[in-house]
Amino acid sequence: MPEPTTPALPVTFRPGRTRAVLLTVGIAMFATVTVVAMMLERLGPGERASFVLTAALFLGVLVLLSRPKVVADDEGVTVVNITRTRRLAWAEILRVNLRSGDPWVFLDLSDGTSLPVLGIQPGIAREAAVRDARALRALAESRGTGTEGT
């Protein structure tokens, strides 16, 4: 296996294909429901508004699901998951894990907890996720107190 190279900072990791699919489906669904609501002659203004509001709600959920990313810079890592953002110093990251079967990367932290990192997930693009996990691991090892993960 080739040794991972440490990327230049700042660097952002995000599941690009998953994000593209979620946003495309969300926009297409919103447009379709809105057009259908406007074309149905039997609907009143309130009913049309409820169709559009429901479509906007679904679009909002898909936008939240497309939000995860990891931003690494000189000071540390910012993990943006679906509804929460957490800033970590490099020294807080002990290990970067992406084991076979994991849905996303996990960070083992110095406080004894593990933090899921949804910004690197092997769902649609496994090779890219493995490459990104190795790059984040190399950064953690070179900048913090990280140890090699399995």
Side-chain angles (χ1 to χ4, degrees), residues 11-60:
V11 63
T12 300
F13 305 106
R14 72 175 354 138
R17 289 183 191 168
T18 301
R19 180 176 166 85
V21 168
L22 289 170
L23 293 176
T24 301
V25 167
I27 291 168
M29 185 220 39
F30 178 80
T32 302
V33 171
T34 300
V35 167
V36 168
M38 297 307 155
M39 290 178 61
L40 292 174
E41 296 173 4
R42 292 182 150 177
L43 295 181
E47 293 167 317
R48 286 186 179 152
S50 70
F51 267 74
V52 174
L53 183 62
T54 301
L57 183 64
F58 282 125
L59 176 60

Side-chain angles (χ1 to χ4, degrees), residues 78-98:
T78 302
V79 177
V80 179
N81 285 332
I82 294 172
T83 58
R84 297 192 64 181
T85 299
R86 184 159 175 197
R87 179 73 182 162
L88 300 166
W90 286 113
E92 293 179 79
I93 302 170
L94 299 179
R95 182 174 296 154
V96 178
N97 294 310
L98 180 59

Side-chain angles (χ1 to χ4, degrees), residues 1-7 130-131 134-135 137-139 141-142 148:
M1 223 180 297
E3 194 66 29
T5 59
T6 305
V130 169
R131 183 187 67 240
R134 286 180 179 154
R137 180 180 297 147
L139 284 168
E141 290 172 357
S142 69
E148 187 169 330

Side-chain angles (χ1 to χ4, degrees), residues 55-141:
L57 183 64
F58 282 125
L59 176 60
V61 168
L62 293 178
V63 167
L64 276 176
L65 290 173
S66 70
R67 185 174 180 252
K69 66 180 176 179
V70 182
V71 179
D73 58 30
D74 289 326
E75 287 79 38
V77 175
T78 302
V79 177
V80 179
N81 285 332
I82 294 172
T83 58
R84 297 192 64 181
T85 299
R86 184 159 175 197
R87 179 73 182 162
L88 300 166
W90 286 113
E92 293 179 79
I93 302 170
L94 299 179
R95 182 174 296 154
V96 178
N97 294 310
L98 180 59
R99 294 174 293 260
S100 179
D102 280 351
W104 40 71
V105 165
F106 289 90
L107 300 179
D108 291 340
L109 304 178
S110 60
D111 65 2
T113 63
S114 182
L115 178 67
V117 179
L118 279 64
I120 302 174
Q121 49 183 269
I124 293 177
R126 178 152 185 76
E127 295 81 22
V130 169
R131 183 187 67 240
D132 291 349
R134 286 180 179 154
L136 184 59
R137 180 180 297 147
L139 284 168
E141 290 172 357

